[in-house]
Amino acid sequence: MTFSVNDYVDYCVCAAALISENKDYITELDAATGDGDHWANMNLGFQKLVDSNQALRGESYSGLFKKIGMTLMGTIGGSSGVLYGSAYLSAAKVVGDTDEMDVRILNQVLSAMIEGICERGNSGPGMKTMIDTLDAAAGELKAALAEGLDEEGALRRMERGAKRGMESTARMAAVRGRAYYQADKGVGHLDPGAVTMYYQLKTLAECMLKKR
Ligand code: ADP
Ligand code: MG
Protein backbone atom coordinates (compact mmCIF):
# COMPACT_ATOMS: atom_id res chain seq x y z
CA MET A 1 0.00 0.00 0.00
CA THR A 2 1.15 3.50 -0.70
CA PHE A 3 -0.43 6.47 0.94
CA SER A 4 0.71 9.65 -0.78
CA VAL A 5 1.05 13.15 0.64
CA ASN A 6 -2.17 14.08 -1.16
CA ASP A 7 -3.90 11.10 0.46
CA TYR A 8 -2.71 12.38 3.85
CA VAL A 9 -4.12 15.83 3.09
CA ASP A 10 -7.43 14.18 2.11
CA TYR A 11 -7.32 12.34 5.43
CA CYS A 12 -6.90 15.67 7.29
CA VAL A 13 -10.01 16.99 5.52
CA CYS A 14 -11.99 13.88 6.62
CA ALA A 15 -10.71 14.15 10.21
CA ALA A 16 -11.73 17.83 10.22
CA ALA A 17 -15.27 16.81 9.24
CA LEU A 18 -15.53 14.24 12.05
CA ILE A 19 -14.25 16.76 14.60
CA SER A 20 -16.61 19.42 13.27
CA GLU A 21 -19.64 17.10 13.59
CA ASN A 22 -18.97 16.37 17.26
CA LYS A 23 -19.09 19.90 18.63
CA ASP A 24 -21.56 19.30 21.46
CA TYR A 25 -20.09 15.99 22.61
CA ILE A 26 -16.48 17.21 22.81
CA THR A 27 -17.48 20.53 24.33
CA GLU A 28 -19.44 18.72 27.06
CA LEU A 29 -16.51 16.41 27.80
CA ASP A 30 -14.12 19.35 28.20
CA ALA A 31 -16.71 21.26 30.24
CA ALA A 32 -16.85 18.30 32.65
CA THR A 33 -13.09 17.95 33.16
CA GLY A 34 -11.58 21.19 31.83
CA ASP A 35 -12.65 24.61 30.56
CA GLY A 36 -14.89 23.60 27.65
CA ASP A 37 -12.80 24.94 24.78
CA HIS A 38 -11.23 21.75 23.40
CA TRP A 39 -13.67 21.33 20.52
CA ALA A 40 -13.39 24.99 19.53
CA ASN A 41 -9.59 24.77 19.65
CA MET A 42 -9.35 21.59 17.59
CA ASN A 43 -12.01 22.68 15.14
CA LEU A 44 -10.20 25.94 14.49
CA GLY A 45 -6.96 24.08 13.77
CA PHE A 46 -8.47 21.46 11.50
CA GLN A 47 -10.63 23.94 9.59
CA LYS A 48 -7.42 25.89 8.94
CA LEU A 49 -5.96 22.70 7.42
CA VAL A 50 -9.07 22.40 5.25
CA ASP A 51 -8.78 26.04 4.14
CA SER A 52 -5.11 25.67 3.29
CA ASN A 53 -5.31 22.13 1.90
CA GLN A 54 -4.26 23.13 -1.61
CA ALA A 55 -1.04 24.64 -0.28
CA LEU A 56 -0.26 21.42 1.61
CA ARG A 57 -0.27 19.27 -1.52
CA GLY A 58 2.80 18.40 -3.56
CA GLU A 59 5.18 18.35 -0.58
CA SER A 60 7.34 15.53 0.73
CA TYR A 61 6.04 14.04 3.97
CA SER A 62 8.57 15.98 6.03
CA GLY A 63 7.49 19.25 4.40
CA LEU A 64 3.84 18.35 4.89
CA PHE A 65 4.24 17.44 8.57
CA LYS A 66 6.19 20.66 9.24
CA LYS A 67 3.42 22.72 7.65
CA ILE A 68 0.69 20.83 9.54
CA GLY A 69 2.63 21.26 12.80
CA MET A 70 3.09 25.00 12.29
CA THR A 71 -0.55 25.44 11.25
CA LEU A 72 -1.93 23.53 14.25
CA MET A 73 0.46 25.23 16.67
CA GLY A 74 -0.52 28.62 15.32
CA THR A 75 -4.28 28.13 15.30
CA ILE A 76 -5.43 25.58 17.89
CA GLY A 77 -4.45 27.49 21.01
CA GLY A 78 -4.70 25.87 24.44
CA SER A 79 -2.35 23.09 25.50
CA SER A 80 -3.36 20.92 22.61
CA GLY A 81 -2.09 23.39 19.96
CA VAL A 82 1.46 23.26 21.25
CA LEU A 83 1.24 19.49 21.75
CA TYR A 84 -0.02 18.77 18.21
CA GLY A 85 2.62 21.14 16.87
CA SER A 86 5.30 19.17 18.71
CA ALA A 87 3.82 15.86 17.53
CA TYR A 88 3.97 16.84 13.85
CA LEU A 89 7.36 18.55 14.02
CA SER A 90 8.75 15.46 15.70
CA ALA A 91 7.13 13.22 13.04
CA ALA A 92 8.63 15.43 10.28
CA LYS A 93 12.10 14.42 11.49
CA VAL A 94 11.56 10.67 11.03
CA VAL A 95 9.91 10.61 7.58
CA GLY A 96 12.89 11.94 5.61
CA ASP A 97 12.10 13.03 2.05
CA THR A 98 9.67 10.19 1.31
CA ASP A 99 6.45 11.08 -0.45
CA GLU A 100 4.76 7.74 0.20
CA MET A 101 3.73 6.26 3.55
CA ASP A 102 2.93 2.67 4.55
CA VAL A 103 2.16 0.96 7.86
CA ARG A 104 5.86 0.63 8.73
CA ILE A 105 6.48 4.33 8.28
CA LEU A 106 3.24 5.05 10.16
CA ASN A 107 4.61 3.00 13.05
CA GLN A 108 7.66 5.30 13.17
CA VAL A 109 5.49 8.39 12.82
CA LEU A 110 3.29 7.42 15.78
CA SER A 111 6.33 6.72 17.98
CA ALA A 112 7.81 10.10 17.04
CA MET A 113 4.52 11.85 17.80
CA ILE A 114 4.35 10.22 21.23
CA GLU A 115 7.92 11.33 21.95
CA GLY A 116 7.19 14.88 20.79
CA ILE A 117 4.05 15.22 22.92
CA CYS A 118 5.52 13.57 26.02
CA GLU A 119 8.64 15.72 25.89
CA ARG A 120 6.70 18.93 25.41
CA GLY A 121 3.92 18.05 27.85
CA ASN A 122 6.18 16.39 30.42
CA SER A 123 3.70 13.55 30.22
CA GLY A 124 3.35 9.86 29.49
CA PRO A 125 0.76 7.10 29.26
CA GLY A 126 -1.65 6.70 32.18
CA MET A 127 -2.06 10.44 32.86
CA LYS A 128 -5.52 10.75 31.27
CA THR A 129 -4.58 12.62 28.10
CA MET A 130 -4.50 12.30 24.32
CA ILE A 131 -1.34 10.20 24.82
CA ASP A 132 -3.38 7.27 26.13
CA THR A 133 -5.17 6.90 22.78
CA LEU A 134 -2.03 7.39 20.73
CA ASP A 135 0.11 5.07 22.85
CA ALA A 136 -2.40 2.20 22.79
CA ALA A 137 -2.81 2.59 19.01
CA ALA A 138 0.95 2.65 18.45
CA GLY A 139 1.43 -0.36 20.73
CA GLU A 140 -1.13 -2.42 18.81
CA LEU A 141 0.31 -1.40 15.44
CA LYS A 142 3.81 -2.33 16.56
CA ALA A 143 2.65 -5.70 17.92
CA ALA A 144 0.65 -6.43 14.77
CA LEU A 145 3.68 -5.76 12.56
CA ALA A 146 5.92 -7.90 14.80
CA GLU A 147 3.40 -10.73 14.52
CA GLY A 148 3.43 -10.44 10.74
CA LEU A 149 -0.18 -9.31 10.27
CA ASP A 150 -0.99 -7.88 6.85
CA GLU A 151 -1.69 -4.18 6.39
CA GLU A 152 -5.42 -4.53 6.79
CA GLY A 153 -5.05 -6.52 10.02
CA ALA A 154 -2.45 -4.07 11.35
CA LEU A 155 -4.60 -1.00 10.64
CA ARG A 156 -7.68 -2.56 12.19
CA ARG A 157 -5.69 -3.42 15.28
CA MET A 158 -4.34 0.11 15.47
CA GLU A 159 -7.90 1.43 15.37
CA ARG A 160 -9.04 -0.95 18.12
CA GLY A 161 -6.02 0.04 20.22
CA ALA A 162 -6.92 3.72 19.80
CA LYS A 163 -10.48 3.01 20.93
CA ARG A 164 -9.32 1.01 23.94
CA GLY A 165 -6.85 3.76 24.88
CA MET A 166 -9.55 6.41 24.61
CA GLU A 167 -11.95 4.38 26.74
CA SER A 168 -9.30 3.70 29.37
CA THR A 169 -9.12 7.43 30.18
CA ALA A 170 -12.56 7.29 31.84
CA ARG A 171 -11.11 5.20 34.67
CA MET A 172 -7.99 7.31 35.10
CA ALA A 173 -7.28 10.05 37.59
CA ALA A 174 -5.67 12.95 35.71
CA VAL A 175 -2.01 13.67 36.27
CA ARG A 176 -1.74 16.31 33.49
CA GLY A 177 -4.12 18.81 31.95
CA ARG A 178 -6.90 20.80 33.59
CA ALA A 179 -8.68 17.71 34.94
CA TYR A 180 -5.84 17.37 37.46
CA TYR A 181 -7.19 20.47 39.23
CA GLN A 182 -10.68 19.01 39.65
CA ALA A 183 -11.56 17.45 43.00
CA ASP A 184 -12.31 14.07 41.39
CA LYS A 185 -9.40 14.34 38.89
CA GLY A 186 -11.95 13.67 36.17
CA VAL A 187 -12.53 10.04 37.17
CA GLY A 188 -15.61 8.70 35.39
CA HIS A 189 -15.26 11.06 32.42
CA LEU A 190 -13.48 10.45 29.13
CA ASP A 191 -10.63 12.85 28.41
CA PRO A 192 -11.68 15.12 25.51
CA GLY A 193 -8.20 15.14 24.01
CA ALA A 194 -8.18 11.34 24.01
CA VAL A 195 -11.47 11.36 22.09
CA THR A 196 -10.35 13.82 19.40
CA MET A 197 -7.13 11.81 19.05
CA TYR A 198 -9.30 8.73 18.50
CA TYR A 199 -11.27 10.54 15.78
CA GLN A 200 -8.00 11.23 13.97
CA LEU A 201 -6.59 7.70 14.23
CA LYS A 202 -9.88 6.06 13.31
CA THR A 203 -10.17 8.29 10.23
CA LEU A 204 -6.55 7.64 9.28
CA ALA A 205 -7.04 3.86 9.51
CA GLU A 206 -10.18 4.10 7.35
CA CYS A 207 -8.44 6.27 4.74
CA MET A 208 -5.40 3.97 4.58
CA LEU A 209 -7.64 0.89 4.32
CA LYS A 210 -9.39 2.44 1.33
CA LYS A 211 -6.05 2.84 -0.46
CA ARG A 212 -5.09 -0.80 -0.16
P1 ADP B 1 -6.47 23.48 27.57
O1 ADP B 1 -6.30 22.34 28.51
O2 ADP B 1 -5.32 24.43 27.60
O3 ADP B 1 -7.81 24.14 27.71
P2 ADP B 1 -7.45 21.96 25.31
O4 ADP B 1 -8.77 22.00 25.98
O5 ADP B 1 -7.44 22.33 23.87
O6 ADP B 1 -6.39 22.85 26.09
O7 ADP B 1 -6.84 20.50 25.38
C1 ADP B 1 -7.00 19.69 26.49
C2 ADP B 1 -6.44 18.31 26.19
O8 ADP B 1 -5.02 18.37 26.02
C3 ADP B 1 -6.67 17.34 27.33
O9 ADP B 1 -7.93 16.72 27.19
C4 ADP B 1 -5.52 16.36 27.19
O10 ADP B 1 -5.85 15.29 26.33
C5 ADP B 1 -4.44 17.18 26.51
N1 ADP B 1 -3.36 17.57 27.42
C6 ADP B 1 -3.35 18.58 28.29
N2 ADP B 1 -2.16 18.65 28.92
C7 ADP B 1 -1.39 17.64 28.43
C8 ADP B 1 -0.05 17.18 28.65
N3 ADP B 1 0.75 17.78 29.53
N4 ADP B 1 0.38 16.11 27.93
C9 ADP B 1 -0.43 15.50 27.03
N5 ADP B 1 -1.68 15.90 26.77
C10 ADP B 1 -2.17 16.96 27.45
MG1 MG C 1 -9.69 23.15 27.37
Side-chain angles (χ1 to χ4, degrees):
M1 177 243 305
T2 51
F3 199 69
S4 70
V5 166
N6 278 355
D7 292 331
Y8 199 92
V9 176
D10 290 339
Y11 142 69
C12 290
V13 172
C14 291
L18 186 58
I19 291 169
S20 170
E21 281 162 23
N22 284 279
K23 175 180 181 181
D24 293 346
Y25 178 52
I26 300 301
T27 302
E28 277 164 30
L29 288 177
D30 196 35
T33 60
D35 57 355
D37 64 352
H38 184 63
W39 178 85
N41 291 340
M42 292 296 286
N43 192 55
L44 211 58
F46 274 79
Q47 288 308 319
K48 184 77 186 176
L49 294 181
V50 173
D51 294 346
S52 58
N53 84 84
Q54 291 305 335
L56 298 172
R57 295 175 193 272
E59 291 274 355
S60 66
Y61 261 102
S62 72
L64 172 72
F65 284 174
K66 267 185 221 153
K67 280 192 177 170
I68 293 178
M70 297 309 288
T71 302
L72 295 181
M73 199 176 292
T75 51
I76 291 185
S79 329
S80 43
V82 178
L83 296 171
Y84 273 101
S86 303
Y88 271 102
L89 294 180
S90 171
K93 291 187 193 145
V94 298
V95 285
D97 58 6
T98 183
D99 49 19
E100 298 285 351
M101 184 154 71
D102 60 15
V103 284
R104 286 178 194 284
I105 298 176
L106 177 61
N107 183 34
Q108 294 169 356
V109 163
L110 296 187
S111 297
M113 287 182 160
I114 293 170
E115 249 177 64
I117 298 173
C118 290
E119 201 180 292
R120 185 68 206 213
N122 188 23
S123 46
M127 296 184 174
K128 197 182 182 82
T129 71
M130 56 171 82
I131 292 283
D132 293 305
T133 303
L134 189 54
D135 185 62
E140 289 295 340
L141 179 59
K142 191 168 290 229
L145 294 176
E147 289 168 27
L149 262 69
D150 63 9
E151 288 181 331
E152 179 179 2
L155 288 167
R156 292 199 191 284
R157 233 169 109 175
M158 177 184 88
E159 195 271 336
R160 285 202 298 276
K163 185 159 193 273
R164 176 173 55 76
M166 169 187 74
E167 288 167 350
S168 73
T169 63
R171 298 186 293 274
M172 290 177 187
V175 181
R176 288 285 177 274
R178 292 184 194 272
Y180 173 72
Y181 301 99
Q182 303 249 328
D184 62 359
K185 308 263 187 243
V187 174
H189 299 278
L190 288 172
D191 173 63
V195 178
T196 53
M197 180 66 84
Y198 171 65
Y199 289 165
Q200 291 165 72
L201 291 169
K202 172 187 153 72
T203 306
L204 182 58
E206 283 165 3
C207 290
M208 290 183 83
L209 282 165
K210 275 193 209 138
K211 291 297 292 185
R212 278 173 49 253

